[in-house]
Amino acid sequence: MITSFDIGGTAIKSAVATADGQIGAAHRVPTPTHDFAAFAAAMQALIDAGGPTEGVAISIAGVIDPDSGRIKCANIPGIDGRTLAADLSAAFGLPVWILNDADSFALAEARAGAGRGHRNVFGLILGTGVGGGLVIDGHLVGGPGGLAGEWGHGPVAAQFAGTPPQAIPRFPCGCGQTGCLDTVGGARGLERLHGALGQPGLDSRAIIDAWQAGDAAAERTVAVFIDLLAGPLAMLVNTVGASILPVGGGLSNSAPLIARLDAAVRAAILRKTDTPIIVPGQSGAEAGLIGAAWLGLEKLGNQRG
């Protein structure tokens, strides 16, 4: 057995994972965000409560450089810049494996969700912003800097979108570039587009509700949003050969929005299919725990092998 963790800026969740990838009841404690010793102690208490374990697998909202092992984690300053796996392994006396939350979602969907039976799976995150992870033949695809799957960054967002075409500002992105898809995708992107199209400030849920109720201004915003994302996603599908793109994050809760995005992407890809390829994820609220569990079990198996 291994102990699986899903860690964010608010809470640390843990569960025991068995050799078949099943996870037990989840337990949670508040995340100590500024003190590494307190952070490690909170995790140790959850490990002890779960009983004997052979290792620790962690899904976390951060980026881990595979070369240095250092993590970039803005919402937990106490671990930012640390060689987190090595530091925690020393504290626990156990092997520790870490992956970011988008990769964890992708792995959970590939192994236990909508991606089961598919060779190439791209886990698509439409949350506050956009993100993703790629799984091929059941294994996560990594890359320099730990940034594989980050399709939302790069100055490629179209400057005109919708029918008739609407001018779209090139918004500055938190990554330092201008015109990234992350600035117009996800919940904040939908809200930003609504304002740029001359509409009053609304949160993403209100925009989607208005769209579903037939509001013309919300329909225009959603049409622009879909147009901006569909082309880049079609290129992603053509490039990596993904046959399914399970969606996680807050916007995945709108089935009509995901269905509309799916239709637009399928119309733009080279492979023609009547079967949806962009679908709501199935791994639920515990995707982080499930994805981390599968990673840990794979790593443990490799060590034994």
Side-chain angles (χ1 to χ4, degrees):
M1 294 193 302
I2 65 167
T3 306
S4 182
F5 282 91
D6 184 7
I7 301 177
T10 301
I12 297 175
K13 291 195 296 185
S14 78
V16 172
T18 54
D20 59 357
Q22 298 298 308
I23 60 170
H27 303 277
R28 72 172 63 208
V29 297
T31 303
T33 57
H34 287 80
D35 183 337
F36 176 74
F39 178 87
M43 291 184 67
Q44 183 70 68
L46 290 168
I47 293 169
D48 293 343
T53 185
E54 296 178 84
V56 174
I58 302 169
S59 168
I60 194 164
V63 176
I64 301 92
D65 187 312
D67 295 324
S68 68
R70 296 191 181 279
I71 186 170
K72 182 64 179 175
C73 186
N75 61 348
I76 310 177
I79 65 172
D80 188 44
R82 297 191 73 107
T83 52
L84 189 61
D87 293 349
L88 290 176
S89 180
F92 304 151
L94 292 166
V96 174
W97 308 284
I98 304 177
L99 74 170
N100 82 1
D101 50 355
D103 285 341
S104 185
F105 171 78
L107 189 56
E109 287 296 320
R111 296 288 185 89
R116 284 174 295 182
H118 291 263
R119 180 179 176 185
N120 295 357
V121 178
F122 190 87
L124 179 62
I125 303 298
L126 294 176
T128 301
V130 303
L134 177 62
V135 177
I136 295 180
D137 290 334
H139 301 288
L140 278 169
V141 175
L147 298 170
E150 291 292 347
W151 67 282
H153 295 282
V156 299
Q159 293 181 265
F160 292 89
T163 305
Q166 306 285 323
I168 308 300
R170 290 177 65 77
F171 299 105
C173 182
C175 75
Q177 300 188 86
T178 300
C180 289
L181 292 170
D182 192 70
T183 67
V184 293
R188 299 295 85 79
L190 185 65
E191 295 160 4
R192 191 175 288 117
L193 287 172
H194 201 59
L197 294 172
Q199 300 305 313
L202 292 176
D203 70 25
S204 59
R205 287 170 293 185
I207 296 168
I208 291 172
D209 288 345
W211 165 57
Q212 287 288 278
D215 179 79
E219 161 60 30
R220 182 172 66 160
T221 298
V222 169
V224 168
F225 178 82
I226 296 295
D227 199 16
L228 286 166
L229 296 189
L233 283 172
M235 288 294 293
L236 186 152
V237 171
N238 289 342
T239 301
V240 305
S243 57
I244 194 80
L245 288 79
V247 185
L251 292 185
S252 69
N253 294 321
S254 174
L257 185 70
I258 300 309
R260 183 160 173 175
L261 181 60
D262 169 67
V265 171
R266 282 191 288 120
I269 61 176
L270 292 173
R271 180 178 70 91
K272 301 307 178 186
T273 176
D274 294 328
T275 302
I277 61 171
I278 297 182
V279 298
Q282 296 177 357
S283 52
E286 306 305 349
L289 291 174
I290 295 169
W294 280 109
L295 174 75
L297 292 168
E298 179 180 327
K299 296 291 189 181
L300 192 61
N302 290 342
Q303 287 185 356
R304 290 170 174 168

